[in-house]
Amino acid sequence: MSIWRRIDRDAERWLLLVFYVMLVATMAIEVLRREVFSYSSIWGEEIVRYSFIYLAWVGAAAAVKERAHIRIDVIMHYLGPRTKAVLYIFGDLVMFGVAIIALIWSLETVHVSYKFGSVTHGLRISNVWFLMAVPLGFALMIWRLIQSLLRDVRSLRDGTPVYEGDKLFD
């Protein structure tokens, strides 16, 4: 398997793992420091906050990939494969439009932060690194939506069942 295929398959998983471990480890260290040593740092709280933000946005992109966002799909059980594909394509196109607009607006926020050189309070690191979570999340969502649209168009053309994600409950 090529490296690009592997990244495409597992990128969100690995990013989610990194940010989750960073969040839990930092939080555990900070609780230990606070309770045992009666001392805490401002940077620990910031790392936890920004890890959570990245976790949320990368997780949103992973949910787009797996079609795991919350949706009401009762009517989908009664439709044929082509009709389902058309509805999924329509939903993906709407989400694609929203993601493009959100990406542009979020890049503007990053640009303003870069222009004025804003930094975090505790870490004294450029805010750009943390504000980039939003455009990164939307860029990943756009990439996954393009893949989803291509997959759904193929299903529509072939008349095969559309990918609906893994079911939690049946």
Side-chain angles (χ1 to χ4, degrees):
M1 178 179 296
S2 75
I3 187 76
W4 294 112
R5 216 174 261 251
R6 193 122 190 238
I7 289 171
D8 184 53
R9 188 188 70 191
D10 296 331
E12 287 94 347
R13 281 186 199 170
W14 285 106
L15 287 171
L16 289 171
L17 178 66
V18 166
F19 290 119
Y20 188 71
V21 167
M22 193 164 39
L23 182 145
V24 170
T26 307
M27 192 179 302
I29 290 167
E30 285 301 304
V31 167
L32 181 72
R33 288 175 70 181
R34 185 173 297 143
E35 297 301 321
V36 174
F37 301 113
S38 298
Y39 175 78
S40 64
S41 63
I42 193 167
W43 59 264
E45 185 267 332
E46 281 188 357
I47 288 176
V48 169
R49 180 184 334 141
Y50 296 129
S51 294
F52 183 75
I53 291 169
Y54 268 96
L55 194 66
W57 286 105
V58 173
V64 167
K65 177 183 176 190
E66 297 297 326
R67 282 220 163 108
H69 280 285
I70 296 173
R71 64 180 182 268
I72 300 172
D73 61 353
V74 173
I75 198 167
M76 296 296 238
H77 297 292
Y78 302 106
L79 301 175
R82 289 187 190 270
T83 309
K84 277 185 187 180
V86 168
L87 287 175
Y88 277 119
I89 289 169
F90 175 73
D92 286 349
L93 286 173
V94 170
M95 191 184 295
F96 185 80
V98 170
I100 291 287
I101 292 167
L103 175 66
I104 292 167
W105 286 352
S106 63
L107 284 172
E108 178 64 28
T109 304
V110 172
H111 175 70
V112 168
S113 178
Y114 177 75
K115 183 177 168 183
F116 291 107
S118 64
V119 295
T120 63
H121 298 290
L123 295 170
R124 306 305 294 167
I125 296 174
S126 174
N127 253 345
V128 169
W129 293 107
F130 305 113
L131 292 173
M132 276 303 291
V134 180
L136 174 70
F138 278 113
L140 281 170
M141 277 186 228
I142 289 167
W143 175 248
R144 295 307 183 185
L145 284 166
I146 290 169
Q147 290 176 327
S148 179
L149 282 165
L150 292 173
R151 183 180 57 221
D152 292 344
V153 167
R154 197 175 318 114
S155 292
L156 178 63
R157 184 187 64 223
D158 300 341
T160 56
V162 70
Y163 176 72
E164 297 187 67
D166 293 328
K167 301 282 189 242
L168 290 177
F169 307 103
D170 273 330

